[in-house]
Amino acid sequence: MPKTIRNEFNKKLSYESLMQAHKLSKKGKGYRKEIILFNLKQEEYIIWLYGRLKDGTYKHSGYTTFYVTEPKLRKIEKSIYLDRIVHRWVVDNFLEPYFVPTFISTSYACLKKRGMHKACIDVQNAMIHLERTWKKYYILKMDIRKYFQNINKDILYQILVRKIQDNKLLWLLREIIYSNEGKTGLAIGNYTSQMFANIYLNELDQYIKHVLHCRYYFRYLDDSIIMFQNKEEAKQNLEEIKKFLLDNLELELNEKTQIFKNAQGVNFCGYKINPHRLKIRDKGKRKLKKKIKELKYKIKIGELNNKQAKQYLCGHFGYIKYANIKNLTQKLFEI
């Protein structure tokens, strides 16, 4: 695949590719009112969308804003469904095939076969290896301050321009990137935002791997760790990383950033990781126990049956199956 995207917009744009984006966008959400209404006239809507993209008159609509509290308070900006089809089409046809192959292998989150579980297993394997070779070492754990809210849209656009020389595609990307207010901040809720966030921090990944030559570096979106043989090396690299983030991406690390000994293990992607055990963090255990208690009560009063309760726990099953918590599992999942 060529390194630069040239004259691909019109080649990729078709009724069929937009319909495929619609089918993928509605997957698992067919019961929602907006999807049901769209399906009633899906051919007409797709033809209309095709025409607007073809002649360059497409305009990104506004957002419906709401807040979620788990895992922490976040502002979510939800696009109308027609725009979500465009987001999917852009990611599947341009951002994923052209940008993801340039990512380092230890970048995770929102990437196929590179989710939180693979991230944790790769970190644990590195810890096993370093325990044999270095015995004692230090871990630098970094977290970026309000990452999505502080992504500079102009810098992001210039990063994209380096790889894209297709004016129609750049026009569409501008429509999406600048669709919400402010010079900084991507709309959390857009399918494109996840990929843009990875593309933005790929600049940091390349710097850490190829300029600082840090071998044991792992990043899950804005949360990352690096393993060093001694504390002085960790401190020196931390200062270089802070400077790069501020000068090139206008980002800062938050107060969670710290350097500590490997004997402590590391919290990463919701797990407490050490070379011999992968445990759920205390916060995760508390949430799990609370959910189980609520479901048991609903079963007791007849609001749910066992099968329905288990459906609510599907995400938790995926979360705990990689952890070493046999006793906890037996205790909690009596239902």
Side-chain angles (χ1 to χ4, degrees), residues 20-47:
Q20 175 66 11
H22 160 52
K23 290 178 180 177
L24 293 171
S25 298
K26 72 175 183 178
K27 193 173 181 180
K29 305 168 187 173
Y31 59 90
R32 296 182 182 177
K33 183 179 178 180
E34 60 182 340
I35 309 295
I36 294 170
L37 293 175
F38 189 93
N39 285 337
L40 294 174
K41 294 184 178 181
Q42 62 180 14
E43 291 84 3
E44 295 175 35
Y45 285 129
I46 295 297
I47 290 170

Side-chain angles (χ1 to χ4, degrees), residues 126-137 216 229:
M127 294 176 81
I128 292 170
H129 171 70
L130 293 180
E131 191 177 63
R132 290 197 305 263
T133 55
W134 289 347
K135 303 292 190 285
K136 296 180 181 180
Y137 56 93
Y216 302 103
Q229 194 163 7

